[in-house]
Amino acid sequence: MSITLEQAQSIVSAALAHARAQGFKPLTVAVLDPGGALVALGREDGSGFLRPDVATAKAHGMLALGMDSRAIAARAADSPEFFTSVSALAGGKVFSVPGGVFIHDDAGTLLGAAGASGDASLADEEAVVAGIRAAGLTPRTGGE
């Protein structure tokens, strides 16, 4: 099972709406299926041109390693050579900061992951969590 286009677009729209309501800097939000394919992406006016790559990498790294963003950050801190090697192997599509969130259905099935970039990492994560919840799905950040 995978995230649907409708669910992914809902996550993007709700995450961006949450960001606006909270006064966050302009964000870019990416939603990927479990295989790492991009399903939906939204880039607000004023969000830097590299933000789509960063948002996608936050979600991609989680799916590729099977680890949440916080676990990746801890692993990178404990073993920088491991993180550098993995990042190089993945073509730079792994980030070691919060802002990527796993997406699950009510039964706990992994549907994909979403990432955001544009504000502080925890604000990015907050917006993605709000978007996932608004779509009726369950977020997993590793900070639960």
Side-chain angles (χ1 to χ4, degrees), residues 36-110:
L38 182 65
V39 179
L41 181 111
R43 181 181 163 272
E44 289 185 299
D45 295 345
S47 185
F49 73 88
L50 197 56
R51 296 299 182 181
D53 296 318
V54 174
T56 301
K58 287 181 178 183
H60 185 266
M62 294 175 56
L63 293 165
L65 295 173
M67 302 166 69
D68 60 66
S69 292
R70 293 165 195 271
I72 293 170
R75 185 72 185 267
D78 289 342
S79 182
E81 64 282 351
F82 170 81
F83 181 76
T84 301
S85 297
V86 167
S87 184
L89 183 65
K93 293 182 184 177
V94 179
F95 261 64
S96 63
V97 296
V101 181
F102 282 119
I103 305 164
H104 294 270
D105 65 12
D106 289 341
T109 303
L110 177 66

